[in-house]
Amino acid sequence: MRLLHTSDWHLGHTLYDVSRDAEHAAFLAWLLETLEAQAVDALLVAGDIFDTANPSAEAQAAWYQFVAKARRRMPRLDVVVIGGNHDSAARLDAPDPLFAALGVHVVGGLPRTRGAMDQERLLVPLHDAKGRVGAWVAAVPYLRPSDLPPVPGDMGDRLVEGVRAVYAEVLAAARRRRQAGQALVAMGHCYMTGTELSALSERKILGGNQHALPVDLFPDDVVYAALGHLHKAQRVGGREGVRYSGSPLPLSLSEAGYRHQVLLVELEGDALREVQSLPVPRTTDMVRVPSRDAAPLDAVLTQLEGLPAHDADTLEWRRPYLEVCVSLPRPEPALRQKVEKVLEGKAARLVKLTPAYTGTGGALAEVQPGLSLKERTPEDVFRARYARDFEEPPALALLEAFHTLLTDVQEESP
């Protein structure tokens, strides 16, 4: 059997108020082509279909259109989707009757019937090219603290052990159903121990990332665990069969260097044969000037002048995103205007201008230690605050302006 594992689409995402809809459309079109070209038997999407719990109409339309196109082009494809922490469980579950008729299995939130976990919705058979059941999936969505069963206080962390109990129950039910030669697969949207978090775009979940889940959550008979939440593709605990696929697009400028991919998983009977990375084409580049750290304004402007010119035939959404980082030893009120002027006619779109102040960064008490606030003159405080951000001393004109304001305030005081 061939499975394709992906996650963290974040449909509806914007980068500094710039829509990513066109980039997502390109990814979904590529994904359809890949599913067909690779003769995939089952698609596993491990959460965060949407970027927010209340996605735009355009984001929802992209999701429904993808499902419809996948079903038309690959009628035998099994599709299994779980909800993530960005998703609304109720929104994902609402069209379940329609999706069930199409053979698409979506589990937005942990299903319960009369207080008990609904194992029927969490266990999904996967079929091979001949229509035979080749694997069973324990499709566990993102678990919120309210989803977890109570555990005895002497068993350790309540949240971690609660998640363990949920997976143990679902996997036990899957073992009872599978027959000889059928593989056991798990899905989850969670944060595991020993992994690398992209702090700029991934929320802390399950009571905070200190509640990282151990890899032994998935026993050795789970031949593959398709995980979502972390945007950087990675193995967990050194196990080949416990993987984050990562996001298909960089969701922050800090993720520009990540390997964005989907994973093609090959099963041979009830064993894992191979996991292959399929890189997702980057349709819109991300550029940082300078490439590392920050540089003085003159040096940055020179680098910006060397950027390629804008091609009128290039679609707007294909223009590279640009972050500019400038070190500032002194205030530069016209910083943005100078940068934008140099970028006129260039291909890149400025989405983030980051000033890097070269001052001490220290607290006021670290300047002239031992003096109380009462013993410091207003100019002392002003100079100390200025030095925290800027390496050079304040200009004479700035000091004169400060003293003018100070005189006005003092003269107005009763």
Side-chain angles (χ1 to χ4, degrees):
M1 288 191 68
R2 283 189 157 195
L3 319 178
L4 193 142
H5 166 204
T6 178
S7 72
D8 296 273
W9 293 359
H10 289 267
L11 300 178
H13 179 259
T14 60
L15 183 66
Y16 297 100
D17 297 326
V18 177
S19 170
R20 312 294 295 282
D21 288 351
E23 293 172 80
H24 274 120
F27 161 67
L28 294 176
W30 173 86
L31 182 58
L32 287 170
E33 296 290 339
T34 301
L35 289 167
E36 198 166 27
Q38 296 290 342
V40 171
D41 299 304
L43 172 65
L44 309 181
V45 188
D48 281 354
I49 296 294
F50 298 113
D51 192 54
T52 67
N54 187 27
S56 66
E58 291 80 6
Q60 295 179 71
W63 163 232
Y64 294 130
Q65 288 170 5
F66 172 81
V67 172
K69 290 176 181 178
R71 180 53 63 232
R72 282 197 301 268
R73 293 175 62 166
M74 293 154 283
R76 300 179 67 89
L77 177 73
D78 285 323
V79 180
V80 185
V81 181
I82 61 171
N85 61 299
H86 281 251
D87 297 314
S88 162
R91 186 180 297 278
L92 284 184
D93 284 333
D96 180 62
L98 178 60
F99 277 161
L102 294 173
V104 176
H105 200 97
V106 179
V107 185
L110 190 70
R112 292 190 178 278
T113 302
R114 297 174 184 172
M117 194 157 49
D118 187 352
Q119 297 177 0
E120 291 295 324
R121 289 207 57 215
L122 295 170
L123 299 178
V124 187
L126 301 181
H127 302 83
D128 61 20
K130 296 181 180 180
R132 300 171 301 195
V133 175
W136 284 89
V137 176
V140 179
Y142 166 61
L143 297 173
R144 294 167 173 81
S146 59
D147 293 325
L148 305 180
V151 295
D154 59 353
M155 288 186 62
D157 188 288
R158 181 184 68 83
L159 296 178
V160 173
E161 295 307 318
V163 173
R164 189 191 299 277
V166 170
Y167 272 98
E169 181 178 340
V170 180
L171 289 172
R175 293 186 187 99
R176 291 193 294 269
R177 299 202 179 198
R178 70 171 178 149
Q179 300 177 6
Q182 295 176 349
L184 183 58
V185 176
M187 295 178 69
H189 190 92
C190 50
Y191 175 58
M192 306 290 292
T193 56
T195 52
E196 187 174 344
L197 183 72
S198 175
L200 294 183
S201 59
E202 290 157 3
R203 300 175 186 170
K204 295 183 176 182
I205 57 176
L206 194 61
N209 285 327
Q210 66 271 24
H211 292 93
L213 302 172
V215 71
D216 63 7
L217 198 72
F218 306 108
D220 290 340
D221 62 345
V222 175
V223 298
Y224 190 78
L227 303 178
H229 177 55
L230 299 190
H231 300 164
K232 186 173 185 177
Q234 53 197 292
R235 296 176 181 83
V236 179
R239 287 177 56 177
E240 183 69 10
V242 183
R243 297 266 199 139
Y244 287 97
S245 64
S247 61
L249 304 181
L251 297 168
S252 72
L253 295 170
S254 67
E255 297 179 10
Y258 286 6
R259 180 182 178 87
H260 296 279
Q261 60 174 24
V262 298
L263 294 173
L264 183 64
V265 182
E266 292 198 40
L267 305 178
E268 189 167 344
D270 60 359
L272 177 66
R273 179 180 179 184
E274 183 183 14
V275 180
Q276 181 182 353
S277 168
L278 303 179
V280 177
R282 182 73 61 87
T283 54
T284 305
D285 287 333
M286 290 183 170
V287 179
R288 189 182 190 276
V289 175
S291 58
R292 296 184 61 183
D293 302 322
L297 179 58
D298 289 344
V300 169
L301 295 178
T302 299
Q303 291 187 50
L304 294 178
E305 288 174 351
L307 292 176
H310 175 56
D311 184 348
D313 294 331
T314 301
L315 296 173
E316 178 65 20
W317 68 272
R318 296 295 301 270
R319 295 177 64 193
Y321 299 105
L322 173 65
E323 178 185 10
V324 176
C325 302
V326 184
S327 60
L328 295 179
R330 70 187 72 86
E332 192 64 58
L335 176 62
R336 177 168 288 273
Q337 291 91 325
K338 291 181 178 180
V339 170
E340 290 179 342
K341 182 174 179 58
V342 173
L343 289 174
E344 290 178 0
K346 301 296 184 182
R349 292 176 289 176
L350 180 65
V351 294
K352 186 179 182 184
L353 179 57
T354 305
Y357 300 112
T358 59
T360 64
L364 177 60
E366 296 174 5
V367 181
Q368 295 177 299
L371 292 181
S372 67
L373 187 60
K374 289 183 178 180
E375 295 173 303
R376 301 173 193 266
T377 68
E379 183 175 327
D380 289 337
V381 176
F382 175 76
R383 285 180 176 274
R385 176 62 182 84
Y386 188 93
R388 191 175 75 179
D389 286 347
F390 302 109
E391 181 180 355
E392 296 184 0
L396 181 60
L398 185 61
L399 283 174
E400 290 176 352
F402 168 75
H403 282 293
T404 299
L405 289 173
L406 180 62
T407 300
D408 291 344
V409 171
Q410 291 172 337
E411 288 179 349
E412 293 175 2
S413 300

